[in-house]
Amino acid sequence: MTLKVRDVLGVVSASLPLEKITLVGGGNGQGKSSLLQACAAVALRMPKLRGASRKADFAHVVRRGSADGGAATLSWETGMRRISWPSGDVHSTGDGDARHMGSPLGIGAVRFMELPPKERLSVLAERLDLAPTLDDIAAWLAPKDDRGKPLPEAEEDRQARLDLATALHSKVDISGWDACEKTAREYALKLKGRWEEVARPANWGPQKAATWVPEGLLPDEPYDLAEVAAEMDAAKAAYQAALRAGSASEAEIALAREAAAPLDDLLKAGEACQAAVLAAQETLTALEQRLKDLPRPTDALPLHTCPHCEAEIRVTINAAIDEIRLEKPPAEAAKKASPAENAKRRTAITAARDAIRGAQDALEQARRAAQENSAAVATAEEAKKRLARLQAMPKQDPEAVGRAQLAATQAETKHRLVSTMLRAREIYRDWCAQQPIINCLASTGVRMTVMERRMGAFNAELAALCQVGRFGPVTLTGEGELRYGESSWEQMAESERWRAELLLTLAFAKREGAQLVLVDRLDVLVPTQRPGVCELLIHIGIPALVAMSARNPEALPNLEAANYGRRAWIEGGVLRLL
């Protein structure tokens, strides 16, 4: 494989083979990093470099002073791939488009620990096949004691847990872990809002919600809603019985008397309404007869000539029985009226029809008024009967009625408070049931548990690579963090971080079958540690482009002597093979 770069970033021209290890040395700012970035761009088919994320910015990728643009080319026996700037176009020949060089993590273009924590976990889950299975989720949701040992479980509860695990596994397959966790947290937040609406004016708190009762109820009292409802119904029935046991109150009598008062006037008005209906009906009948008697325009009658006797005939069609009939026209059709007379007749017919419509509206209004009057009369008559019943009742005991009314009111209040308390407890139980789901879906939940259990094989691969490169032990934790020996990422020295990242890159490259590995800043290691890196790269068997800062070419490790590859020197953006 051969890499050629021209006028890209800090590189003026470079052409070098990529076999075994190709080590490029040079001073600071001479084009080493530009060379590696250009190689990564063409390997990954990604023309975006150094912040040039839009095509409008690609001109910044071209080396300042270049008039012909820049390009980076990877070629091999069966194909070629080139990216040109500032266009950003990718051109391939042979199998250049189909050949997969590797992923950004696999070739070393992106550092694992620079990714956000959640993205690191997602990368590991995908690359190491660490996604929890349905059985993992079901086991995680199983009840356990404080030491993590399984607790006995009823068959009904076990089946409900398996159903929940199946539902979660299906949702995760569709939407992903993070989206499902977000949905679960949003639902729990909604439950808090619902609880506060029910328990208003109380504010949500897990401990408060667990023991909350409305003011007026006893905290430790076991309330049964059915029993409280029966008490309320009994109190209401007793109040109604107390009302029926004595005469009505003065207020009830006054209301009945007031409702019955207009009865006489309504009866008189009813007679007037009936008379109005009869008059409107008579008027409508007279108008309809008048319309019937009006002469019709003669030009409105469709007449035809008989083909046999040449007499005028009228054709009528009865579509219902599929019949066409030829008839002798009426006598009036024979008497042709003048156009003026026909117009006069039409005007008279129109006026008669308008008068009929007005009479129909008047009749409808009269009938509606009569109906309303009849309803009012019925109401007033019922009020009159009620007044008579109330006045005939014995004298009522106001104190007994008041006591019964108070008891009914208190029973209704108790029923409302118990209903509120039980609804709040139901919401709290839903919230509690949601917490294991949230914890399961969280990045620190079942994913981390499964990851920690299944990381052994991958850490064994890292341990084998550490032995080849003579590194200290590098491990990957379930939280997606690299460790070097006992040191966390924050505690590592710069050279330890460099070795840990390199080791993880090579492990990824080996697993995914990358065709190329990029290694920058070999000079971070002291000279005695560099041969181990070279041996590790040779052991992996993937062509590697390595860059390091050096004062002169003689300071570079002698790869040729160990048959590890080739060295090159870059200065002022111009590369030459040593």
Side-chain angles (χ1 to χ4, degrees):
M1 189 182 303
T2 301
L3 171 67
K4 293 183 179 181
V5 181
R6 173 181 55 80
D7 292 331
V8 176
L9 299 175
V11 178
V12 178
S13 64
S15 178
L16 66 165
L18 298 179
E19 298 176 359
K20 295 184 180 180
I21 302 172
T22 303
L23 176 61
V24 178
N28 292 331
Q30 299 304 306
K32 301 185 301 299
S33 296
S34 297
L35 183 67
L36 265 65
Q37 290 174 16
C39 183
V42 68
L44 299 172
R45 303 184 187 87
M46 295 173 58
K48 300 176 181 179
L49 286 177
R50 288 194 186 176
S53 58
R54 301 177 305 167
K55 191 169 184 178
D57 301 327
F58 286 171
H60 302 308
V61 177
V62 179
R63 184 181 63 84
R64 186 177 301 175
S66 172
D68 299 329
T73 305
L74 274 176
S75 58
W76 52 92
E77 290 183 1
T78 57
M80 174 275 293
R81 183 185 303 156
R82 177 188 299 115
I83 296 183
S84 302
W85 289 276
S87 67
D89 294 337
V90 180
H91 175 69
S92 302
T93 60
D95 62 351
D97 188 54
R99 186 165 183 174
H100 179 67
M101 295 294 178
S103 68
L105 279 171
I107 71 171
V110 173
R111 294 185 178 182
F112 178 76
M113 289 302 293
E114 291 178 351
L115 300 175
K118 284 190 176 182
E119 189 173 346
R120 293 204 300 267
L121 292 175
S122 298
V123 166
L124 292 177
E126 178 182 354
R127 287 178 171 270
L128 307 184
D129 194 22
L130 301 180
T133 65
L134 174 59
D135 291 340
D136 293 325
I137 297 174
W140 201 94
L141 293 172
K144 303 176 183 65
D145 61 17
D146 295 338
R147 292 175 294 179
K149 293 184 178 180
L151 293 173
E153 191 176 16
E155 177 59 27
E156 182 180 352
D157 295 336
R158 188 189 73 85
Q159 188 58 50
R161 172 171 59 84
L162 295 179
D163 291 343
L164 175 59
T166 301
L168 290 178
H169 188 261
S170 176
K171 290 179 180 179
V172 166
D173 278 347
I174 296 172
S175 304
W177 287 91
D178 294 339
C180 288
E181 178 192 359
K182 180 181 177 183
T183 300
R185 291 187 182 279
E186 288 175 349
Y187 180 61
L189 189 62
K190 288 181 180 179
L191 290 175
K192 293 179 183 180
R194 292 177 189 172
W195 187 93
E196 289 186 340
E197 288 179 2
V198 171
R200 189 176 298 168
N203 294 322
W204 167 267
Q207 293 181 347
K208 177 185 289 186
T211 58
W212 179 84
V213 294
E215 185 177 351
L217 297 182
L218 299 176
D220 299 325
E221 183 73 18
Y223 294 99
D224 183 276
L225 186 61
E227 293 179 0
V228 174
E231 293 174 5
M232 179 183 67
D233 293 339
K236 287 183 175 180
Y239 174 53
Q240 294 298 324
L243 289 175
R244 290 192 299 269
S247 63
S249 65
E250 292 299 326
E252 289 179 302
I253 293 174
L255 288 174
R257 183 179 291 115
E258 182 181 356
L263 178 58
D264 292 340
D265 293 338
L266 289 172
L267 291 172
K268 293 179 181 178
E271 296 175 358
C273 288
Q274 292 300 325
V277 170
L278 292 174
Q281 183 63 60
E282 291 175 357
T283 301
L284 177 60
T285 301
L287 290 172
E288 289 175 341
Q289 183 60 44
R290 180 184 173 189
L291 175 62
K292 186 176 180 181
D293 295 339
L294 287 175
R296 297 294 187 267
T298 57
D299 56 0
L301 298 173
L303 299 179
H304 303 273
T305 300
C306 177
H308 301 289
C309 65
E310 297 185 355
E312 289 185 334
I313 59 173
R314 183 170 64 181
V315 179
T316 59
I317 300 175
N318 190 338
I321 60 175
D322 194 20
E323 179 185 66
I324 299 177
R325 179 179 296 176
L326 303 181
E327 299 176 340
K328 183 179 180 181
E332 63 182 43
K335 301 176 181 179
K336 299 287 186 178
S338 66
E341 179 61 24
N342 283 330
K344 183 177 179 181
R345 292 181 181 181
R346 286 193 179 88
T347 301
I349 290 172
T350 301
R353 288 173 177 168
D354 290 342
I356 287 174
R357 281 192 289 271
Q360 288 172 339
D361 292 341
L363 177 60
E364 180 62 27
Q365 291 176 4
R367 287 174 175 169
R368 193 160 43 246
Q371 291 173 352
E372 293 172 355
N373 176 266
S374 296
V377 167
T379 301
E381 288 177 341
E382 181 60 32
K384 185 177 180 180
K385 293 177 183 178
R386 176 172 171 72
L387 177 62
R389 288 195 302 269
L390 292 174
Q391 290 174 336
M393 292 177 67
K395 188 174 181 180
Q396 189 181 69
D397 182 0
E399 292 184 0
V401 173
R403 288 192 299 270
Q405 184 180 20
L406 177 60
T409 301
Q410 290 174 340
E412 287 180 338
T413 301
K414 182 179 179 180
H415 182 269
R416 175 176 54 80
L417 293 177
V418 171
S419 298
T420 298
M421 179 190 69
L422 296 179
R423 176 59 181 145
R425 289 182 179 178
E426 180 184 357
I427 295 173
Y428 173 69
R429 284 194 298 270
D430 289 345
W431 180 86
C432 290
Q434 195 69 10
Q435 300 316 298
I437 297 175
I438 293 174
N439 295 335
C440 176
L441 295 171
S443 59
T444 55
V446 66
R447 285 181 283 177
M448 180 177 292
T449 301
V450 172
M451 185 178 294
E452 289 175 345
R453 189 168 67 241
R454 299 180 185 172
M455 286 293 288
F458 186 68
N459 280 326
E461 294 178 24
L462 295 180
L465 294 178
C466 289
Q467 192 172 5
V468 173
R470 300 191 292 278
F471 289 1
V474 175
T475 55
L476 192 60
T477 69
E479 293 87 352
E481 180 178 315
L482 283 169
R483 298 185 68 87
Y484 195 93
E486 298 298 323
S487 300
S488 66
W489 183 257
E490 290 76 14
Q491 296 168 335
M492 290 184 202
E494 184 180 11
S495 63
E496 291 174 334
R497 289 187 175 186
W498 188 91
R499 279 177 281 187
E501 284 278 16
L502 173 65
L503 208 68
L504 189 61
T505 295
L506 295 180
F508 284 160
K510 185 178 178 181
R511 274 178 167 255
E512 71 181 42
Q515 305 292 304
L516 176 69
V517 173
L518 305 176
V519 182
D520 199 3
R521 301 176 63 234
L522 179 63
D523 52 280
V524 167
L525 302 182
V526 297
T528 57
Q529 296 172 333
R530 296 167 189 169
V533 174
C534 295
E535 293 173 13
L536 183 58
L537 294 173
I538 292 297
H539 172 76
I540 289 295
I542 301 174
L545 177 59
V546 184
M548 66 174 287
S549 295
R551 293 187 300 274
N552 51 61
E554 290 72 23
L556 301 179
N558 191 349
L559 300 184
E560 291 83 357
N563 195 27
Y564 283 168
R566 295 288 303 273
R567 295 174 297 166
W569 184 259
I570 188 168
E571 187 170 353
V574 178
L575 183 139
R576 61 184 176 89
L577 295 174
L578 299 179

